Amino acid sequence: TLFVAMAGFAAKAIFLVGLPLIAVALFAGFAPPFDGYTCLLLGVISVYSPHLCRNLVVGTTFGYDNREPRENVNSKRAVKADKDVLRLVRTLGAAHQNGFEALLVFAVGVLAAKTAGVDSSSLNTTATVWVFLRFVYNLVYPNQGRSM
């Protein structure tokens, strides 16, 4: 249906959110590998991009209720929605929550490495790879088992 196509597009938009940010960073004079602090900012964006797409999918399919936002997926409107859309909404929410868990460890690691005086070249390369892989995760995890 049209809603499933829109939901698939929204999930793909997660990855596309990161690409313009990297392009802006390149235009501003930052070249990969990015600085550790820049990667922290991009990491925060990678955490919230699944949530943004989740809200987009909920808003375009069965509607968003601000009175009880955590119950949108369990609402009567959602029960009538396509099962693929519900699965996508749930996995986008799970990707968002997983992002917080991963970001905490990543941020502590970057800050500890900066404080300890780790070689910036290796730190920046590792942090850039982590950010890239987070955006890839945000694209792959919600779409597992679906044809893209």
Side-chain angles (χ1 to χ4, degrees):
T1 66
L2 175 64
F3 291 127
V4 174
M6 288 171 51
F9 173 76
K12 291 173 188 168
I14 293 172
F15 191 67
L16 298 177
V17 166
L19 293 180
L21 292 171
I22 292 172
V24 167
L26 288 172
F27 182 74
F30 299 107
F34 299 119
D35 178 64
Y37 296 123
T38 305
C39 287
L40 287 177
L41 175 63
L42 289 172
V44 169
I45 292 168
S46 77
V47 168
Y48 282 100
S49 58
H51 186 66
L52 174 73
C53 289
R54 179 182 186 270
N55 288 343
L56 179 67
V57 170
V58 168
T60 57
T61 54
F62 48 86
Y64 197 83
D65 181 11
N66 275 337
R67 290 172 293 176
E68 296 184 52
R70 298 189 196 286
E71 293 300 318
N72 282 318
V73 178
N74 301 324
S75 69
K76 292 178 184 176
R77 297 177 322 277
V79 171
K80 297 176 186 174
D82 189 339
K83 299 298 180 202
D84 285 342
V85 172
L86 284 175
R87 189 192 65 72
L88 179 64
V89 168
R90 286 189 177 108
T91 55
L92 284 169
H96 174 61
Q97 291 173 353
N98 178 270
F100 282 117
E101 297 163 3
L103 182 65
L104 178 64
V105 175
F106 174 68
V108 168
V110 167
L111 295 175
K114 285 279 192 185
T115 304
V118 172
D119 175 46
S120 2
S121 174
S122 60
L123 171 63
N124 295 346
T125 302
T126 305
T128 301
V129 167
W130 185 89
V131 167
F132 175 75
L133 290 176
R134 275 311 301 179
F135 280 108
V136 169
Y137 171 84
N138 287 340
L139 177 66
V140 172
Y141 178 69
N143 290 295
Q144 61 186 341
R146 293 181 54 195
S147 62
M148 297 178 60

